Every structure is written in C-alpha cells, then in structure tokens.
Amino acid sequence: FRDEMTYRSELERLEVSAATEIDRTCVVFELGRNQTAPDSGETVWVKERTIQIGVAEMFADRSVGARHEAVFKGEQLFTNAILELQGTDKPVVYFLTGHGEHGLSERGATRGLGKLAAHLQRRYMEIKPLELRSRSALPEDCDVLVIAGATEPLTDNERTLLESWLADGGRLFLLLDYLPGGGDSVAPSPVAGLAALAGVDATNNLVFGIKVF
C-alpha cells in the first residue's frame, strides 16, 4: 500500500473473523501443525509460535524537502518473520573494534555505522562487535568480519589470526578511509595491507569528480 491510510481503508473492506484474538491492525505469521483431537477425532490446528507485525512497524516517515512520504517496510519484516519461524539461522556479522574504527552505535554523517547496522538487522542479520586483541581465534559463528575505517594498525597477533582465518575461508569486508597526510599527500590506511591477501593493491590515490551526475 502507498501509505498507512490506504492500508487501513482497504483493511475495512476485508472480513475479519469475530473469533480472532488478534487486532486487525497487524499482520500475523503463525507456526503450527495439524493434530487429531483425541476426544472428537477431528483435525485441529495447534499453534506453536506467533509473530505479530503492527501497522506502525510497517511504515517509516521519509522527508524529501518539505514533503513527507510514508515508506513501506513490510516486505522485509514479513521475510524476516518467515525466516525466524522456519528456524533459519541468522548470518552473524562482526565489526572489528579497538583500532579507531567507525562506531556501531554512532549515526554521524562521517564516522557512524548506526544506520548500516540497523539496515543489516532489518535484513535478518545479527550484528556483534569484536575485540580481537585478547582472543586466540576468531569466533566460530563469524560469517563476515567488517573492518571499517581503522586508523590504527593491527597487532602482529591480530594479523596472524586474520591471515589464518582468511586462508581457511573466512570472509572479510574491508573499508579503507581517505586519510590526509601532510600537504596534499594521502596517508596509507594502517590495514591496507590486508587487501593484498585477496590480490588487491590498495594504492594511496585520490579520485576527483569534475562533473556531478
């Protein structure tokens, strides 16, 4: 639906059973099974688990200049509900910490990853911080490791752990920030060397856009 008002007006046209215990301003996903009642022999539905998604959760307000739009988020919420009821494991994404990386809880325009973390969680992913210095191995449930804009180098032990983990099939998402040096120079990222493990040469260059499309 285009907006919440349209949703509610269309909902009024639907027949809703008077016996339902669920408020009709939400969408319900239910997991259960058919079972034969011992006393009557009839097949009855046995509810095991229910997920309710309210109308307020399905829409987000987006401002475009002076205009406000209602953005429908229900499709992703519905998909997540189905995956959760099916018992599908959430992919676990770890974000490395301790080297000046962008903060998971921050929502600033330049350093924060709060919006990214929220987006990944809406995509049925679990987000966790990772302090690697005190560990002897990466977590077994780590599906992807993100290193986002580290400004300090890894320790020798951390680098050894990462190299071993990547050699065993680990997946790394490496984000390198532009780090200004003296004058017009560009300082290399302290973790740029990790890109070489994948055959990528992370050079210290700038790309200027002369024309904005």
Side-chain angles (χ1 to χ4, degrees):
F1 300 103
R2 293 187 302 275
D3 50 44
E4 183 175 346
M5 184 176 296
T6 304
Y7 170 83
R8 290 183 180 277
S9 63
E10 289 296 317
L11 191 64
E12 293 296 332
R13 300 172 54 236
L14 303 178
E15 289 186 6
V16 181
S17 171
T20 182
E21 62 186 32
I22 303 299
D23 188 289
R24 60 180 178 171
T25 57
C26 68
V27 175
V28 180
F29 291 86
E30 190 173 280
L31 177 67
R33 54 189 168 83
N34 289 323
Q35 180 175 299
T36 302
D39 51 347
S40 64
E42 296 180 352
T43 300
V44 295
W45 175 256
V46 179
K47 179 170 58 177
E48 296 179 349
R49 191 177 178 194
T50 298
I51 295 178
Q52 300 181 34
I53 302 174
V55 172
E57 299 176 74
M58 299 181 207
F59 294 90
D61 182 69
R62 180 176 62 189
S63 298
V64 182
R67 182 163 53 96
H68 292 272
E69 296 179 346
V71 181
F72 182 66
K73 304 186 301 178
E75 183 176 352
Q76 193 59 53
L77 293 173
F78 299 163
T79 300
N80 289 350
I82 293 171
L83 291 172
E84 186 173 344
L85 289 177
Q86 288 178 332
T88 305
D89 292 335
K90 286 185 177 182
V92 181
V93 181
Y94 278 88
F95 283 76
L96 191 67
T97 63
H99 312 85
E101 296 88 352
H102 294 267
L104 271 176
S105 60
E106 300 175 29
R107 289 180 174 266
T110 57
R111 296 292 302 175
L113 293 177
K115 290 184 178 180
L116 173 61
H119 177 76
L120 294 178
Q121 289 170 331
R122 288 195 299 268
R123 294 283 177 178
Y124 199 68
M125 300 182 191
E126 186 172 357
I127 308 302
K128 296 181 179 181
L130 175 62
E131 171 60 67
L132 193 56
R133 289 177 179 174
S134 59
R135 301 184 63 97
S136 59
L138 273 82
E140 293 184 1
D141 64 345
C142 181
D143 293 303
V144 178
L145 175 64
V146 179
I147 301 179
T151 58
E152 299 174 12
L154 305 176
T155 65
D156 291 341
N157 180 60
E158 287 176 314
R159 185 178 177 87
T160 299
L161 291 178
L162 282 177
E163 290 178 352
S164 176
W165 179 71
L166 291 170
D168 288 338
R171 288 176 286 190
L172 174 67
F173 186 33
L174 184 62
L175 301 173
L176 304 178
D177 272 349
Y178 157 68
L179 300 175
D184 295 329
S185 64
V186 180
S189 167
V191 294
L194 291 175
L197 300 177
V200 177
D201 183 15
T203 57
N204 304 318
N205 297 312
L206 293 177
V207 176
F208 291 94
I210 299 177
K211 184 177 181 180
V212 178
F213 296 93

